[in-house]
Amino acid sequence: MTNLPESSTDPMHEAIAIARDNIAAGGRPFGAVVVRDGVVLARAANRIHETSDPTAHAELLALREAAQKLGTPRLEGCVVYASGHPCPMCLAAMHLCGISAAYYAYSNEDGEPFGLSTKAVYEQMANPPSQQSLPLKQALPEGESGLYAQWAQRPR
């Protein structure tokens, strides 16, 4: 377990408070806060229960809000504080948008007795794609080519 820098305890407390409020609203115990240069850019709770959107995780919603506020999909210099261990989808999004660091309060091990662990998904994704339980195979239609080259030629 890593102790947070003193200046980071408030965002983590806030992420946990958001998660507790979400439980009271009928949701899952997940909240997230995105901070840059000591300023909170975004806060979000898991909204799966409200939207039936399986991607409505607190971290993803907070990343979306922060990106909209900044007007860019790149979030370099931003830090995520999450009440729970980010799932692989959320962690991948953090990598893709350039998050500088992420902290979580409750681990997968803490959540496992309550059905709140994504450890099994992490384990699956550590396998080569051909050995994962979800088949992933290339299926390029005959005669199809040039999609990425077209993107590279777009007007800028």
Side-chain angles (χ1 to χ4, degrees), residues 13-31 43-47 49-50 83:
H13 284 297
E14 187 170 359
I16 294 168
I18 291 167
R20 289 187 186 282
D21 289 346
N22 205 43
I23 293 170
R28 297 169 64 85
F30 301 112
R43 308 166 170 82
N46 181 293
R47 295 284 179 235
H49 68 291
E50 293 175 357
S83 62

Side-chain angles (χ1 to χ4, degrees), residues 16-96:
I16 294 168
I18 291 167
R20 289 187 186 282
D21 289 346
N22 205 43
I23 293 170
R28 297 169 64 85
F30 301 112
V33 177
V34 177
V35 176
R36 187 171 76 178
D37 298 327
V39 175
V40 173
L41 295 175
R43 308 166 170 82
N46 181 293
R47 295 284 179 235
I48 293 173
H49 68 291
E50 293 175 357
T51 64
S52 297
D53 175 355
T55 69
H57 290 202
E59 298 92 335
L60 290 183
L61 296 173
L63 293 176
R64 289 174 189 154
E65 183 181 330
Q68 288 173 351
K69 281 186 180 173
L70 294 174
T72 178
R74 300 299 307 160
L75 298 177
E76 284 92 354
C78 293
V79 177
V80 172
Y81 297 88
S83 62
H85 190 287
C87 75
M89 174 179 65
C90 293
L91 185 60
M94 290 180 215
H95 280 285
L96 288 169

Side-chain angles (χ1 to χ4, degrees), residues 61-148:
L61 296 173
L63 293 176
R64 289 174 189 154
E65 183 181 330
Q68 288 173 351
K69 281 186 180 173
L70 294 174
T72 178
R74 300 299 307 160
L75 298 177
E76 284 92 354
C78 293
V79 177
V80 172
Y81 297 88
S83 62
H85 190 287
C87 75
M89 174 179 65
C90 293
L91 185 60
M94 290 180 215
H95 280 285
L96 288 169
C97 70
I99 290 294
S100 298
Y103 298 95
Y104 61 89
Y106 289 89
S107 70
N108 271 326
E109 291 74 23
D110 295 327
E112 196 158 4
F114 307 98
L116 297 170
S117 174
T118 56
K119 178 182 176 193
V121 180
Y122 272 101
E123 290 170 352
Q124 270 296 308
M125 293 187 78
N127 293 326
S130 64
Q131 295 175 14
Q132 293 181 21
S133 62
L134 174 68
L136 177 64
K137 300 173 184 177
Q138 186 174 13
L140 184 66
E142 189 175 321
E144 172 58 40
S145 66
L147 179 65
Y148 294 164

